[in-house]
PDB file of all heavy atoms in Angstrom:
ATOM      1  N   LYS A   1      16.460   7.023   0.263  1.00  0.00           N
ATOM      2  CA  LYS A   1      17.054   5.977   1.105  1.00  0.00           C
ATOM      3  C   LYS A   1      18.515   6.281   1.402  1.00  0.00           C
ATOM      4  O   LYS A   1      18.965   6.169   2.545  1.00  0.00           O
ATOM      5  CB  LYS A   1      16.931   4.592   0.441  1.00  0.00           C
ATOM      6  CG  LYS A   1      15.512   4.128   0.215  1.00  0.00           C
ATOM      7  CD  LYS A   1      14.798   3.863   1.509  1.00  0.00           C
ATOM      8  CE  LYS A   1      13.406   3.299   1.239  1.00  0.00           C
ATOM      9  NZ  LYS A   1      12.616   3.204   2.459  1.00  0.00           N
ATOM     10  N   ILE A   2      19.260   6.696   0.389  1.00  0.00           N
ATOM     11  CA  ILE A   2      20.676   7.023   0.568  1.00  0.00           C
ATOM     12  C   ILE A   2      20.806   8.236   1.493  1.00  0.00           C
ATOM     13  O   ILE A   2      21.647   8.260   2.389  1.00  0.00           O
ATOM     14  CB  ILE A   2      21.357   7.278  -0.803  1.00  0.00           C
ATOM     15  CG1 ILE A   2      21.317   6.016  -1.676  1.00  0.00           C
ATOM     16  CG2 ILE A   2      22.781   7.795  -0.626  1.00  0.00           C
ATOM     17  CD1 ILE A   2      22.039   4.797  -1.142  1.00  0.00           C
ATOM     18  N   ALA A   3      19.965   9.240   1.293  1.00  0.00           N
ATOM     19  CA  ALA A   3      19.991  10.438   2.142  1.00  0.00           C
ATOM     20  C   ALA A   3      19.683  10.090   3.597  1.00  0.00           C
ATOM     21  O   ALA A   3      20.193  10.727   4.521  1.00  0.00           O
ATOM     22  CB  ALA A   3      18.993  11.471   1.629  1.00  0.00           C
ATOM     23  N   GLY A   4      18.869   9.058   3.797  1.00  0.00           N
ATOM     24  CA  GLY A   4      18.508   8.630   5.143  1.00  0.00           C
ATOM     25  C   GLY A   4      19.555   7.765   5.815  1.00  0.00           C
ATOM     26  O   GLY A   4      19.375   7.364   6.960  1.00  0.00           O
ATOM     27  N   GLY A   5      20.622   7.477   5.108  1.00  0.00           N
ATOM     28  CA  GLY A   5      21.725   6.748   5.712  1.00  0.00           C
ATOM     29  C   GLY A   5      21.845   5.291   5.322  1.00  0.00           C
ATOM     30  O   GLY A   5      22.700   4.579   5.843  1.00  0.00           O
ATOM     31  N   MET A   6      21.006   4.834   4.401  1.00  0.00           N
ATOM     32  CA  MET A   6      21.094   3.436   3.980  1.00  0.00           C
ATOM     33  C   MET A   6      22.238   3.241   2.995  1.00  0.00           C
ATOM     34  O   MET A   6      22.530   4.125   2.187  1.00  0.00           O
ATOM     35  CB  MET A   6      19.791   2.985   3.337  1.00  0.00           C
ATOM     36  CG  MET A   6      18.657   2.849   4.304  1.00  0.00           C
ATOM     37  SD  MET A   6      17.247   2.079   3.491  1.00  0.00           S
ATOM     38  CE  MET A   6      16.138   1.976   4.870  1.00  0.00           C
ATOM     39  N   ASP A   7      22.857   2.053   3.061  1.00  0.00           N
ATOM     40  CA  ASP A   7      23.876   1.710   2.081  1.00  0.00           C
ATOM     41  C   ASP A   7      23.202   1.029   0.885  1.00  0.00           C
ATOM     42  O   ASP A   7      21.974   0.900   0.836  1.00  0.00           O
ATOM     43  CB  ASP A   7      24.976   0.848   2.701  1.00  0.00           C
ATOM     44  CG  ASP A   7      24.493  -0.518   3.197  1.00  0.00           C
ATOM     45  OD1 ASP A   7      23.421  -1.006   2.758  1.00  0.00           O
ATOM     46  OD2 ASP A   7      25.205  -1.112   4.026  1.00  0.00           O
ATOM     47  N   THR A   8      24.005   0.592  -0.061  1.00  0.00           N
ATOM     48  CA  THR A   8      23.472  -0.013  -1.279  1.00  0.00           C
ATOM     49  C   THR A   8      22.624  -1.245  -0.982  1.00  0.00           C
ATOM     50  O   THR A   8      21.508  -1.379  -1.495  1.00  0.00           O
ATOM     51  CB  THR A   8      24.616  -0.382  -2.241  1.00  0.00           C
ATOM     52  OG1 THR A   8      25.332   0.814  -2.565  1.00  0.00           O
ATOM     53  CG2 THR A   8      24.106  -1.022  -3.523  1.00  0.00           C
ATOM     54  N   ALA A   9      23.137  -2.132  -0.145  1.00  0.00           N
ATOM     55  CA  ALA A   9      22.415  -3.376   0.150  1.00  0.00           C
ATOM     56  C   ALA A   9      21.098  -3.093   0.872  1.00  0.00           C
ATOM     57  O   ALA A   9      20.061  -3.690   0.534  1.00  0.00           O
ATOM     58  CB  ALA A   9      23.289  -4.304   0.985  1.00  0.00           C
ATOM     59  N   GLN A  10      21.121  -2.193   1.835  1.00  0.00           N
ATOM     60  CA  GLN A  10      19.894  -1.852   2.561  1.00  0.00           C
ATOM     61  C   GLN A  10      18.861  -1.220   1.626  1.00  0.00           C
ATOM     62  O   GLN A  10      17.672  -1.533   1.689  1.00  0.00           O
ATOM     63  CB  GLN A  10      20.201  -0.892   3.709  1.00  0.00           C
ATOM     64  CG  GLN A  10      21.018  -1.493   4.817  1.00  0.00           C
ATOM     65  CD  GLN A  10      21.577  -0.432   5.748  1.00  0.00           C
ATOM     66  OE1 GLN A  10      21.950   0.660   5.333  1.00  0.00           O
ATOM     67  NE2 GLN A  10      21.647  -0.770   7.036  1.00  0.00           N
ATOM     68  N   THR A  11      19.335  -0.322   0.772  1.00  0.00           N
ATOM     69  CA  THR A  11      18.444   0.346  -0.180  1.00  0.00           C
ATOM     70  C   THR A  11      17.824  -0.671  -1.125  1.00  0.00           C
ATOM     71  O   THR A  11      16.613  -0.651  -1.360  1.00  0.00           O
ATOM     72  CB  THR A  11      19.209   1.428  -0.962  1.00  0.00           C
ATOM     73  OG1 THR A  11      19.713   2.393  -0.036  1.00  0.00           O
ATOM     74  CG2 THR A  11      18.338   2.117  -1.987  1.00  0.00           C
ATOM     75  N   ALA A  12      18.646  -1.569  -1.643  1.00  0.00           N
ATOM     76  CA  ALA A  12      18.149  -2.594  -2.559  1.00  0.00           C
ATOM     77  C   ALA A  12      17.100  -3.460  -1.866  1.00  0.00           C
ATOM     78  O   ALA A  12      16.034  -3.732  -2.434  1.00  0.00           O
ATOM     79  CB  ALA A  12      19.307  -3.455  -3.068  1.00  0.00           C
ATOM     80  N   PHE A  13      17.380  -3.872  -0.650  1.00  0.00           N
ATOM     81  CA  PHE A  13      16.440  -4.711   0.092  1.00  0.00           C
ATOM     82  C   PHE A  13      15.119  -3.978   0.319  1.00  0.00           C
ATOM     83  O   PHE A  13      14.051  -4.518   0.061  1.00  0.00           O
ATOM     84  CB  PHE A  13      17.054  -5.141   1.430  1.00  0.00           C
ATOM     85  CG  PHE A  13      16.135  -5.982   2.256  1.00  0.00           C
ATOM     86  CD1 PHE A  13      15.967  -7.334   1.979  1.00  0.00           C
ATOM     87  CD2 PHE A  13      15.418  -5.423   3.301  1.00  0.00           C
ATOM     88  CE1 PHE A  13      15.105  -8.118   2.730  1.00  0.00           C
ATOM     89  CE2 PHE A  13      14.551  -6.197   4.062  1.00  0.00           C
ATOM     90  CZ  PHE A  13      14.386  -7.543   3.780  1.00  0.00           C
ATOM     91  N   GLU A  14      15.207  -2.739   0.803  1.00  0.00           N
ATOM     92  CA  GLU A  14      14.004  -1.950   1.101  1.00  0.00           C
ATOM     93  C   GLU A  14      13.142  -1.710  -0.140  1.00  0.00           C
ATOM     94  O   GLU A  14      11.918  -1.676  -0.045  1.00  0.00           O
ATOM     95  CB  GLU A  14      14.389  -0.596   1.698  1.00  0.00           C
ATOM     96  CG  GLU A  14      14.891  -0.666   3.114  1.00  0.00           C
ATOM     97  CD  GLU A  14      13.772  -0.721   4.134  1.00  0.00           C
ATOM     98  OE1 GLU A  14      12.748  -0.038   3.939  1.00  0.00           O
ATOM     99  OE2 GLU A  14      13.936  -1.452   5.119  1.00  0.00           O
ATOM    100  N   LEU A  15      13.794  -1.513  -1.275  1.00  0.00           N
ATOM    101  CA  LEU A  15      13.059  -1.196  -2.505  1.00  0.00           C
ATOM    102  C   LEU A  15      12.799  -2.421  -3.380  1.00  0.00           C
ATOM    103  O   LEU A  15      12.225  -2.290  -4.467  1.00  0.00           O
ATOM    104  CB  LEU A  15      13.817  -0.129  -3.306  1.00  0.00           C
ATOM    105  CG  LEU A  15      13.992   1.219  -2.601  1.00  0.00           C
ATOM    106  CD1 LEU A  15      14.836   2.165  -3.456  1.00  0.00           C
ATOM    107  CD2 LEU A  15      12.638   1.843  -2.278  1.00  0.00           C
ATOM    108  N   ALA A  16      13.249  -3.591  -2.920  1.00  0.00           N
ATOM    109  CA  ALA A  16      13.066  -4.845  -3.653  1.00  0.00           C
ATOM    110  C   ALA A  16      13.656  -4.772  -5.061  1.00  0.00           C
ATOM    111  O   ALA A  16      13.017  -5.144  -6.054  1.00  0.00           O
ATOM    112  CB  ALA A  16      11.595  -5.249  -3.690  1.00  0.00           C
ATOM    113  N   ILE A  17      14.885  -4.244  -5.127  1.00  0.00           N
ATOM    114  CA  ILE A  17      15.636  -4.189  -6.375  1.00  0.00           C
ATOM    115  C   ILE A  17      17.028  -4.750  -6.098  1.00  0.00           C
ATOM    116  O   ILE A  17      17.367  -5.031  -4.949  1.00  0.00           O
ATOM    117  CB  ILE A  17      15.722  -2.746  -6.950  1.00  0.00           C
ATOM    118  CG1 ILE A  17      16.368  -1.777  -5.940  1.00  0.00           C
ATOM    119  CG2 ILE A  17      14.332  -2.255  -7.355  1.00  0.00           C
ATOM    120  CD1 ILE A  17      16.532  -0.353  -6.433  1.00  0.00           C
ATOM    121  N   THR A  18      17.831  -4.895  -7.118  1.00  0.00           N
ATOM    122  CA  THR A  18      19.173  -5.432  -6.916  1.00  0.00           C
ATOM    123  C   THR A  18      20.145  -4.315  -6.539  1.00  0.00           C
ATOM    124  O   THR A  18      19.917  -3.138  -6.892  1.00  0.00           O
ATOM    125  CB  THR A  18      19.699  -6.122  -8.186  1.00  0.00           C
ATOM    126  OG1 THR A  18      19.935  -5.119  -9.193  1.00  0.00           O
ATOM    127  CG2 THR A  18      18.739  -7.182  -8.695  1.00  0.00           C
ATOM    128  N   PRO A  19      21.241  -4.667  -5.854  1.00  0.00           N
ATOM    129  CA  PRO A  19      22.269  -3.661  -5.574  1.00  0.00           C
ATOM    130  C   PRO A  19      22.815  -3.018  -6.854  1.00  0.00           C
ATOM    131  O   PRO A  19      23.115  -1.826  -6.874  1.00  0.00           O
ATOM    132  CB  PRO A  19      23.358  -4.455  -4.833  1.00  0.00           C
ATOM    133  CG  PRO A  19      22.609  -5.582  -4.186  1.00  0.00           C
ATOM    134  CD  PRO A  19      21.529  -5.941  -5.181  1.00  0.00           C
ATOM    135  N   GLY A  20      22.904  -3.808  -7.925  1.00  0.00           N
ATOM    136  CA  GLY A  20      23.367  -3.256  -9.199  1.00  0.00           C
ATOM    137  C   GLY A  20      22.433  -2.173  -9.714  1.00  0.00           C
ATOM    138  O   GLY A  20      22.887  -1.162 -10.260  1.00  0.00           O
ATOM    139  N   THR A  21      21.138  -2.374  -9.530  1.00  0.00           N
ATOM    140  CA  THR A  21      20.157  -1.369  -9.953  1.00  0.00           C
ATOM    141  C   THR A  21      20.329  -0.088  -9.136  1.00  0.00           C
ATOM    142  O   THR A  21      20.244   1.014  -9.683  1.00  0.00           O
ATOM    143  CB  THR A  21      18.720  -1.918  -9.823  1.00  0.00           C
ATOM    144  OG1 THR A  21      18.604  -3.071 -10.668  1.00  0.00           O
ATOM    145  CG2 THR A  21      17.688  -0.888 -10.231  1.00  0.00           C
ATOM    146  N   VAL A  22      20.575  -0.235  -7.851  1.00  0.00           N
ATOM    147  CA  VAL A  22      20.818   0.947  -7.006  1.00  0.00           C
ATOM    148  C   VAL A  22      22.014   1.721  -7.553  1.00  0.00           C
ATOM    149  O   VAL A  22      21.945   2.945  -7.727  1.00  0.00           O
ATOM    150  CB  VAL A  22      21.059   0.547  -5.530  1.00  0.00           C
ATOM    151  CG1 VAL A  22      21.524   1.752  -4.709  1.00  0.00           C
ATOM    152  CG2 VAL A  22      19.815  -0.071  -4.923  1.00  0.00           C
ATOM    153  N   ASN A  23      23.094   1.024  -7.860  1.00  0.00           N
ATOM    154  CA  ASN A  23      24.297   1.695  -8.359  1.00  0.00           C
ATOM    155  C   ASN A  23      24.070   2.353  -9.717  1.00  0.00           C
ATOM    156  O   ASN A  23      24.564   3.460  -9.965  1.00  0.00           O
ATOM    157  CB  ASN A  23      25.469   0.718  -8.406  1.00  0.00           C
ATOM    158  CG  ASN A  23      25.942   0.341  -7.014  1.00  0.00           C
ATOM    159  OD1 ASN A  23      25.856   1.134  -6.072  1.00  0.00           O
ATOM    160  ND2 ASN A  23      26.425  -0.875  -6.869  1.00  0.00           N
ATOM    161  N   VAL A  24      23.316   1.695 -10.580  1.00  0.00           N
ATOM    162  CA  VAL A  24      22.996   2.283 -11.890  1.00  0.00           C
ATOM    163  C   VAL A  24      22.152   3.544 -11.692  1.00  0.00           C
ATOM    164  O   VAL A  24      22.394   4.577 -12.329  1.00  0.00           O
ATOM    165  CB  VAL A  24      22.289   1.258 -12.801  1.00  0.00           C
ATOM    166  CG1 VAL A  24      21.676   1.939 -14.026  1.00  0.00           C
ATOM    167  CG2 VAL A  24      23.258   0.168 -13.232  1.00  0.00           C
ATOM    168  N   GLN A  25      21.162   3.469 -10.794  1.00  0.00           N
ATOM    169  CA  GLN A  25      20.315   4.640 -10.529  1.00  0.00           C
ATOM    170  C   GLN A  25      21.173   5.793 -10.000  1.00  0.00           C
ATOM    171  O   GLN A  25      20.983   6.943 -10.398  1.00  0.00           O
ATOM    172  CB  GLN A  25      19.209   4.294  -9.523  1.00  0.00           C
ATOM    173  CG  GLN A  25      18.179   3.330 -10.044  1.00  0.00           C
ATOM    174  CD  GLN A  25      17.227   3.951 -11.063  1.00  0.00           C
ATOM    175  OE1 GLN A  25      17.497   4.973 -11.680  1.00  0.00           O
ATOM    176  NE2 GLN A  25      16.092   3.316 -11.243  1.00  0.00           N
ATOM    177  N   LEU A  26      22.101   5.504  -9.082  1.00  0.00           N
ATOM    178  CA  LEU A  26      22.965   6.555  -8.539  1.00  0.00           C
ATOM    179  C   LEU A  26      23.832   7.184  -9.631  1.00  0.00           C
ATOM    180  O   LEU A  26      23.986   8.412  -9.680  1.00  0.00           O
ATOM    181  CB  LEU A  26      23.836   6.003  -7.402  1.00  0.00           C
ATOM    182  CG  LEU A  26      23.087   5.734  -6.100  1.00  0.00           C
ATOM    183  CD1 LEU A  26      23.923   4.861  -5.177  1.00  0.00           C
ATOM    184  CD2 LEU A  26      22.717   7.044  -5.416  1.00  0.00           C
ATOM    185  N   ALA A  27      24.384   6.358 -10.495  1.00  0.00           N
ATOM    186  CA  ALA A  27      25.202   6.894 -11.599  1.00  0.00           C
ATOM    187  C   ALA A  27      24.367   7.784 -12.510  1.00  0.00           C
ATOM    188  O   ALA A  27      24.812   8.878 -12.903  1.00  0.00           O
ATOM    189  CB  ALA A  27      25.825   5.740 -12.395  1.00  0.00           C
ATOM    190  N   ASN A  28      23.153   7.354 -12.814  1.00  0.00           N
ATOM    191  CA  ASN A  28      22.271   8.162 -13.658  1.00  0.00           C
ATOM    192  C   ASN A  28      21.867   9.457 -12.962  1.00  0.00           C
ATOM    193  O   ASN A  28      21.779  10.510 -13.601  1.00  0.00           O
ATOM    194  CB  ASN A  28      21.032   7.359 -14.065  1.00  0.00           C
ATOM    195  CG  ASN A  28      21.359   6.265 -15.057  1.00  0.00           C
ATOM    196  OD1 ASN A  28      22.345   6.323 -15.774  1.00  0.00           O
ATOM    197  ND2 ASN A  28      20.537   5.223 -15.086  1.00  0.00           N
ATOM    198  N   MET A  29      21.632   9.392 -11.651  1.00  0.00           N
ATOM    199  CA  MET A  29      21.297  10.611 -10.902  1.00  0.00           C
ATOM    200  C   MET A  29      22.458  11.590 -10.941  1.00  0.00           C
ATOM    201  O   MET A  29      22.245  12.793 -11.118  1.00  0.00           O
ATOM    202  CB  MET A  29      20.957  10.275  -9.445  1.00  0.00           C
ATOM    203  CG  MET A  29      19.597   9.653  -9.269  1.00  0.00           C
ATOM    204  SD  MET A  29      19.188   9.460  -7.518  1.00  0.00           S
ATOM    205  CE  MET A  29      19.912   7.869  -7.191  1.00  0.00           C
ATOM    206  N   GLY A  30      23.665  11.096 -10.770  1.00  0.00           N
ATOM    207  CA  GLY A  30      24.833  11.971 -10.827  1.00  0.00           C
ATOM    208  C   GLY A  30      24.931  12.693 -12.157  1.00  0.00           C
ATOM    209  O   GLY A  30      25.191  13.901 -12.207  1.00  0.00           O
ATOM    210  N   ARG A  31      24.698  11.957 -13.238  1.00  0.00           N
ATOM    211  CA  ARG A  31      24.728  12.592 -14.562  1.00  0.00           C
ATOM    212  C   ARG A  31      23.618  13.630 -14.703  1.00  0.00           C
ATOM    213  O   ARG A  31      23.842  14.729 -15.214  1.00  0.00           O
ATOM    214  CB  ARG A  31      24.622  11.536 -15.663  1.00  0.00           C
ATOM    215  CG  ARG A  31      25.930  10.840 -15.962  1.00  0.00           C
ATOM    216  CD  ARG A  31      25.861   9.997 -17.223  1.00  0.00           C
ATOM    217  NE  ARG A  31      25.035   8.810 -17.065  1.00  0.00           N
ATOM    218  CZ  ARG A  31      25.421   7.687 -16.473  1.00  0.00           C
ATOM    219  NH1 ARG A  31      26.631   7.605 -15.969  1.00  0.00           N
ATOM    220  NH2 ARG A  31      24.610   6.656 -16.378  1.00  0.00           N
ATOM    221  N   LYS A  32      22.426  13.292 -14.255  1.00  0.00           N
ATOM    222  CA  LYS A  32      21.305  14.231 -14.364  1.00  0.00           C
ATOM    223  C   LYS A  32      21.531  15.495 -13.547  1.00  0.00           C
ATOM    224  O   LYS A  32      21.140  16.581 -13.959  1.00  0.00           O
ATOM    225  CB  LYS A  32      20.007  13.568 -13.901  1.00  0.00           C
ATOM    226  CG  LYS A  32      19.394  12.634 -14.900  1.00  0.00           C
ATOM    227  CD  LYS A  32      18.074  12.112 -14.385  1.00  0.00           C
ATOM    228  CE  LYS A  32      17.358  11.295 -15.432  1.00  0.00           C
ATOM    229  NZ  LYS A  32      16.025  10.867 -14.952  1.00  0.00           N
ATOM    230  N   LEU A  33      22.136  15.341 -12.374  1.00  0.00           N
ATOM    231  CA  LEU A  33      22.337  16.485 -11.478  1.00  0.00           C
ATOM    232  C   LEU A  33      23.668  17.196 -11.707  1.00  0.00           C
ATOM    233  O   LEU A  33      23.904  18.258 -11.153  1.00  0.00           O
ATOM    234  CB  LEU A  33      22.229  16.021 -10.018  1.00  0.00           C
ATOM    235  CG  LEU A  33      20.858  15.471  -9.611  1.00  0.00           C
ATOM    236  CD1 LEU A  33      20.938  14.799  -8.245  1.00  0.00           C
ATOM    237  CD2 LEU A  33      19.803  16.570  -9.612  1.00  0.00           C
ATOM    238  N   GLY A  34      24.540  16.587 -12.497  1.00  0.00           N
ATOM    239  CA  GLY A  34      25.825  17.207 -12.801  1.00  0.00           C
ATOM    240  C   GLY A  34      26.819  17.141 -11.663  1.00  0.00           C
ATOM    241  O   GLY A  34      27.666  18.024 -11.526  1.00  0.00           O
ATOM    242  N   VAL A  35      26.716  16.097 -10.842  1.00  0.00           N
ATOM    243  CA  VAL A  35      27.621  15.936  -9.698  1.00  0.00           C
ATOM    244  C   VAL A  35      28.152  14.510  -9.673  1.00  0.00           C
ATOM    245  O   VAL A  35      27.665  13.640 -10.380  1.00  0.00           O
ATOM    246  CB  VAL A  35      26.930  16.270  -8.359  1.00  0.00           C
ATOM    247  CG1 VAL A  35      26.494  17.731  -8.331  1.00  0.00           C
ATOM    248  CG2 VAL A  35      25.751  15.345  -8.091  1.00  0.00           C
ATOM    249  N   SER A  36      29.124  14.280  -8.809  1.00  0.00           N
ATOM    250  CA  SER A  36      29.713  12.964  -8.681  1.00  0.00           C
ATOM    251  C   SER A  36      29.780  12.572  -7.213  1.00  0.00           C
ATOM    252  O   SER A  36      30.197  13.377  -6.379  1.00  0.00           O
ATOM    253  CB  SER A  36      31.124  12.978  -9.279  1.00  0.00           C
ATOM    254  OG  SER A  36      31.722  11.718  -9.142  1.00  0.00           O
ATOM    255  N   GLY A  37      29.364  11.369  -6.903  1.00  0.00           N
ATOM    256  CA  GLY A  37      29.431  10.860  -5.544  1.00  0.00           C
ATOM    257  C   GLY A  37      28.090  10.955  -4.828  1.00  0.00           C
ATOM    258  O   GLY A  37      27.280  11.844  -5.091  1.00  0.00           O
TER     259      GLY A  37
END
């Protein structure tokens, strides 16, 4: 969703999760991939 151009709110809405969950997932992805942003 993020790669497709959606922001946090759009991603949360599309996936039926909270914006906070989107941000937590992104932080965890950054750690797993060894990158930031």
Side-chain angles (χ1 to χ4, degrees):
K1 298 293 184 188
I2 298 298
M6 290 188 177
D7 64 20
T8 300
Q10 293 166 324
T11 300
F13 179 79
E14 287 278 322
L15 298 176
I17 58 178
T18 69
T21 300
V22 171
N23 290 329
V24 167
Q25 292 287 20
L26 287 165
N28 289 336
M29 285 186 273
R31 280 191 290 280
K32 282 184 173 184
L33 297 169
V35 297
S36 179

